[in-house]
Amino acid sequence: MSLMGFLDRIADVSAFDKAIEPARRAVQGLPSAVKDVLHGTWLGHPLHPVLVQVPVGSWVSAGLLDAVPRLRPAATVLIGTGVAASVPAALSGAADWSEQGSGVRRLGALHAVLNTAALGLYAGSLVARGQGRGTLGRVLAYSGLGLAGGSAAIGGHMSYAQSSGASHAATAVRALSTDWIDLGPLDDLPEGRPAMRTGKGSSMAVPLAVVRRGARVDVFVAACSHLSGPLDEGTVENVRGSDCLVCPWHGSAFALDNGEPRRGPAANPQEKLEVRMEAGRVKARVPSRHR
Ligand code: FES
């Protein structure tokens, strides 16, 4: 069995759920404004992969510097930097983790345990170095690097194989034909709430969420960028000063004007199509970046 197949086996173990659930509820209980900061909703990009660069980069660099005796004081500074930076990185990861599906949460729990163990080893390394026990400090640091590397591989599997943090809307929009899609007469669309229309794809039909406000029409891929929730079954609400399309699954809100997230857990924008009117009919097309 491949390593990735082994991780998929772990993601299937439902026995972990009972132990995981209290932590998940605790994170979900944070104020939504705090969670949105941690998700990266304000950035329009998941924050966790941005923040993890600091501890990972610091610790890898410290590992290299520790190999050169005269550079070891600099390694100690980098280890301390990584320890401090791991706290916001962990908090943003926990916020994302709490809103994922069960398989991602199980692997995410293992990722967190390994990261916590690595953090403990690095903290121990700092203490040992402070006491003048340099050899022990380096052993602890290299052990921490090994654990953090293994944990990073799990995080990569969560992102690339389980699509956590990826935009599910971007996947859906690529299935659409690049031609203009006829969505029917403007007058058939309800006012101020999403309606479902279907876009022609190269191999399958792609659901679209269409919102009419007077003569204006906004068209989005219906699969929510967070976890593919059906935005055509959502609502239109004013969220933080913007008229938004709100997902019925976890409440992410996307500005009707440009698809940017106004409320999480989504951090990626929602894919919005170009729109034009032709003889009273609505036509939409995927944006040029996907053509
Ligand atoms: S699927 Fe989670 S907010 Fe839409």
Side-chain angles (χ1 to χ4, degrees):
M1 184 191 302
S2 69
L3 171 62
M4 298 311 152
F6 175 69
L7 293 178
D8 283 337
R9 288 278 178 90
I10 294 175
D12 283 335
V13 181
S14 59
F16 294 154
D17 295 352
K18 202 170 165 198
I20 290 171
E21 195 55 23
R24 181 192 183 205
R25 286 188 192 285
V27 177
Q28 284 187 321
L30 291 171
S32 95
V34 173
K35 286 190 291 184
D36 282 357
V37 169
L38 295 172
H39 288 310
T41 305
W42 56 276
L43 186 62
H45 187 285
L47 188 60
H48 183 62
V50 177
L51 295 182
V52 296
Q53 304 304 316
V54 184
V56 170
S58 298
W59 289 342
V60 169
S61 301
L64 294 172
L65 296 184
D66 258 344
V68 183
R70 67 185 171 81
L71 297 179
R72 284 172 185 161
T76 303
V77 172
L78 284 176
I79 288 172
T81 303
V83 167
S86 66
V87 175
L91 290 174
S92 66
D96 292 347
W97 165 83
S98 72
E99 301 288 355
Q100 291 293 324
S102 54
V104 177
R105 291 202 302 273
R106 291 167 196 153
L107 271 191
L110 178 60
H111 179 61
V113 166
L114 291 178
N115 280 341
T116 304
L119 180 61
L121 289 168
Y122 274 115
S125 173
L126 286 178
V127 171
R129 287 163 197 254
Q131 294 170 340
R133 301 160 75 192
T135 302
L136 175 62
R138 290 190 293 283
V139 168
L140 291 172
Y142 283 124
S143 302
L145 187 60
L147 277 186
S151 181
I154 294 173
H157 189 73
M158 292 164 64
S159 296
Y160 293 112
Q162 296 184 311
S163 296
S164 70
S167 169
H168 293 248
T171 307
V173 79
R174 286 192 202 104
L176 275 169
S177 126
T178 56
D179 300 330
W180 284 97
I181 304 162
D182 186 351
L183 301 178
L186 172 68
D187 290 343
D188 285 359
L189 291 170
E191 176 70 26
R193 63 184 167 83
M196 205 270 263
R197 293 289 183 270
T198 304
K200 189 162 66 76
S202 48
S203 59
M204 60 180 180
V206 178
L208 303 173
V210 183
V211 179
R212 175 185 180 185
R213 292 176 291 167
R216 179 181 175 135
V217 177
D218 298 294
V219 180
F220 297 89
V221 168
C224 175
S225 72
H226 178 229
L227 287 179
S228 298
L231 290 178
D232 52 293
E233 296 174 16
T235 52
V236 172
E237 299 172 26
N238 191 282
V239 177
R240 295 173 184 159
S242 300
D243 286 338
C244 290
L245 182 54
V246 177
C247 180
W249 281 8
H250 308 106
S252 289
F254 303 96
L256 287 173
D257 287 346
N258 53 23
E260 289 184 359
R262 291 285 179 268
R263 182 175 65 207
N268 292 302
Q270 187 59 26
E271 292 291 346
K272 184 172 184 189
L273 277 67
E274 297 172 0
V275 173
R276 77 176 188 207
M277 296 294 165
E278 233 179 73
R281 299 182 73 85
V282 181
K283 305 221 167 174
R285 173 170 82 162
V286 297
S288 59
R289 65 181 175 278
H290 292 303
R291 294 203 293 267

